[in-house]
């Protein structure tokens, strides 16, 4: 019999705020043959950290991945609290009612647990951030020795769109939610790879994809139910896929065009709304995706769904 090639999985920690597109991303990461999700931490973003924690447990239960530990963050921005617009329904996962879940969140703060998980791992850990990065910034500030054990930070954040028109870019949610945390991350010099807003707006799911999702299996029918309340106003005829693009970038980098970029955080109004300013002509301090192959991304999405029940 032909011996199957052993695939080495990438040890990863996901910091997120489920969130409907976060839910797809979690499923995609867990169902992938390439990512070993060691820990999920929740941050202040689409909903409170506790609600995001409960939502994460519900998603894990839905796909039978109830052995992955989940820890909540403190729920306070690094320096200044920021207003947030809710676009994922009341609970963060539309109004779908998940069955009662007896699993508990880990005791203790996400920042300490993230650090312990990174240090306990023999290999370097890949951090994946799908929300404002408050927990990650706090961890890097509290435990600077963690940096040497971090392979890279793949961050769904920012926008490149409006730079071309000479104006400041759109205040994407994950940077605007805690710009000081993003600043601390840039300062830490951790290896940063950005998956900006344009990816999830380009590779959105149209209504035909949503229909196919619904009829695929039970998990698909739950996702379709969640999609009914996802209100990303940039996508008029379908569902934005932001956070799952970050997972696709890790598992299938060949479907993206990537360019070196110089990133700075700027504030553009009196409220201190933060944006990522990406400059392609200056000495780079990060990489950013600039294009995505829509067809191949959708293929990955349905491949992930096929692995569910
Ligand atoms: C980001 O904002 C959130 O609402 C989504 O979950 C995603 O992480 C996109 O701007
Ligand atoms: Ca998110």
């Amino acid at each position: 019999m032909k011996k199957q090639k052993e695939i080495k999985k990438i040890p990863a920690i996901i910091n997120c705020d489920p969130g409907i597109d976060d839910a797809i991303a979690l499923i995609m990461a867990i169902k992938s043959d390439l990512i070993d999700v060691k820990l999920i931490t929740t941050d202040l973003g689409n909903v409170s950290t506790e609600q995001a924690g409960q939502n994460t447990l519900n998603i894990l239960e839905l796909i039978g991945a109830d052995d992955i530990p989940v820890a909540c963050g403190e729920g306070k921005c690094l320096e200044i609290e920021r207003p947030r617009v809710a676009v994922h329904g009341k609970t963060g996962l539309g109004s779908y009612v998940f069955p009662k879940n007896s699993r508990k969140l880990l005791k203790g703060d996400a920042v300490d647990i993230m650090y312990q998980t990174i240090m306990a791992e023999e290999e370097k850990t890949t951090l994946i951030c799908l929300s404002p990065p408050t927990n990650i910034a706090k961890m890097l500030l509290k435990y600077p020795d963690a940096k040497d054990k971090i392979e890279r930070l793949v961050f769904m954040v920012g926008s490149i769109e409006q730079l071309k028109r000479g104006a400041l870019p759109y205040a994407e949610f994950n940077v605007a939610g805690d710009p000081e945390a993003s600043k601390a991350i840039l300062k830490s010099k951790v290896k940063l790879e950005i998956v900006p807003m344009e990816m999830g707006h380009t590779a959105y799911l149209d209504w035909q994809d949503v229909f196919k999702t619904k009829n695929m299996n039970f998990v698909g029918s739950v996702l379709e139910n969640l999609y009914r309340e996802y209100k990303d106003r940039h996508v008029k005829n379908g569902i934005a896929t932001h956070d799952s693009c970050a997972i696709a970038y890790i598992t299938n980098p060949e479907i993206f065009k990537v360019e070196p970029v110089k990133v700075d955080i700027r504030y553009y109004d009196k409220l201190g709304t933060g944006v990522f300013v990406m400059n392609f002509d200056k000495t780079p301090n990060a990489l950013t995706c600039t294009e995505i192959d829509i067809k191949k991304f959708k293929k990955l999405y349905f491949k992930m769904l096929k692995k569910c029940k």
Side-chain angles (χ1 to χ4, degrees), residues 16-19 21-22 46 88 130-132 156 173-174 243:
C16 57
D17 58 343
D21 58 327
D22 299 73
N46 292 317
H88 297 256
L130 311 175
S131 64
M156 189 279 117
F173 184 87
N174 292 343
D243 292 341

Side-chain angles (χ1 to χ4, degrees), residues 276-306:
F276 257 45
V277 174
M278 302 200 203
N279 196 318
F280 293 91
D281 300 321
K282 287 192 180 166
T283 310
N285 59 355
L287 287 176
T288 185
C289 299
T290 52
E291 279 173 37
I292 181 167
D293 184 321
I294 303 170
K295 260 195 184 160
K296 289 188 179 152
F297 172 79
K298 287 190 183 182
K299 214 170 159 190
L300 279 179
Y301 166 82
F302 284 113
K303 190 173 157 200
M304 160 286 276
L305 214 51
K306 237 184 181 164

